[in-house]
Amino acid sequence: MALTSAFTSFNLPVKNVEQSKAFFTGLGFELNPQFPESENSVAIVIGDNLQVMLINQAFFNTLTGKESVDTSKYAQMAFESREKVDEIVNTAVSLGGKLHAEPEDHGFMYHWGFVDLDGHLWAINYMNMNAAQG
């Protein structure tokens, strides 16, 4: 039996919770009202039963007992539908993010990405399953 979860929350360290909150809500994501905001964190809903906790980097380090990832050397990924790929990337850039490479169109798969305010790389992909199988 595959491991499944009724609810998943990913934690990302950020330099400034308020700026990151404005960035991701500016992209169209909503706050999770079940998780109260604080100066140290905010919960962003990114899908059904899926959220990202944006946690102040210094506080994050106390929770993990480890240093945060160096975003200039390591990347993270997220996935979204094709009709939103360009919109999400362009909106991210308008909110202070940076482009990551040029878009790639492989017919069955479309890929583009951005780097958020804290250097996290978000690779946004669309996979046309019908074209991939054909």
Side-chain angles (χ1 to χ4, degrees):
M1 180 175 174
L3 177 64
T4 60
S5 174
F7 181 80
T8 304
S9 181
F10 296 98
N11 296 330
L12 282 181
V14 298
K15 294 177 185 108
N16 184 304
V17 172
E18 283 301 313
Q19 286 179 346
S20 294
K21 179 177 87 171
F23 180 83
F24 285 101
T25 57
L27 280 173
F29 293 106
E30 296 179 356
L31 303 180
N32 187 340
Q34 295 175 314
F35 292 82
E37 293 179 56
S38 75
E39 63 187 25
N40 287 318
S41 66
V42 64
I44 305 291
V45 176
I46 60 171
D48 292 339
N49 302 313
L50 183 62
Q51 75 176 14
V52 172
M53 289 293 296
L54 304 174
I55 302 173
N56 173 279
Q57 192 169 31
F59 184 65
F60 181 89
N61 292 348
T62 67
L63 296 173
T64 63
K66 298 179 179 184
E67 287 186 45
S68 302
V69 66
D70 180 347
T71 57
S72 69
K73 296 179 183 176
Y74 302 100
Q76 299 81 38
M77 296 187 90
F79 301 94
E80 184 58 58
S81 64
R82 181 181 177 113
E83 58 269 9
K84 296 294 280 183
V85 171
D86 289 344
E87 178 186 340
I88 289 171
V89 172
N90 288 322
T91 302
V93 170
S94 75
L95 294 168
K98 297 178 182 165
L99 286 178
H100 175 71
E102 294 296 318
E104 297 176 26
D105 191 344
H106 301 280
F108 68 94
M109 183 181 77
Y110 182 73
H111 168 83
W112 202 11
F114 65 90
V115 178
D116 71 16
L117 303 177
D118 292 282
H120 301 288
L121 171 60
W122 293 78
I124 313 299
N125 297 281
Y126 167 72
M127 178 78 72
N128 181 334
M129 296 309 289
N130 292 331
Q133 292 171 357

